[in-house]
Amino acid sequence: MTKFYKFIIMSKEYTNELLLDFGPDGKQLIPVVTQDFHTKEVLILAFVNKEAFEETRRSGYATYWSRSRNELWKKGMTSGDMLKIEEIRINCEQNSLLYLVTPMGKGACHAKKENGMPYKSCYYRRINPDNTLQIVEK
């Protein structure tokens, strides 16, 4: 067996084994891009620790770790705008995740439009050349 072949077999990029590393206490955070399964629109960038990842897989709904509140956050639990997991993907180095979801409510963002409805995506503004922000989601 060549050194290169041995490297490929042992490398995270070429294994079939899930090797997520949440650290020894399970609290290390891993970024998660959350994308609409049907439209492929990016909805949220959030983080999971081991507890949040396991709850997502157990419940079938996107669950994150809230860095600001320092607690488990099941998206939509209070608003009703839950995100149903359709598929979970992992990147080549197994250090970030992609949740492909079906939004079950009115939107994914906690920010609201003037009419009180949530934005579909947390990425509802663009940065203009003059550093002002412009709403792009109507």
Side-chain angles (χ1 to χ4, degrees), residues 22 48-60 99:
F22 293 106
V48 293
N49 60 11
K50 185 176 182 180
E51 179 184 12
F53 181 66
E54 288 176 351
E55 175 59 19
T56 296
R57 295 185 76 194
R58 185 196 67 71
S59 71
Y99 287 177

Side-chain angles (χ1 to χ4, degrees), residues 60-87:
Y61 289 90
T63 307
Y64 309 101
W65 183 258
S66 171
R67 297 183 306 161
S68 60
R69 295 187 309 268
N70 201 33
E71 66 183 14
L72 205 61
W73 164 41
K74 184 172 292 289
K75 175 69 184 110
M77 187 59 87
T78 55
S79 67
D81 297 327
M82 310 247 332
L83 301 172
K84 183 178 181 298
I85 297 290
E86 301 294 345
E87 184 177 329

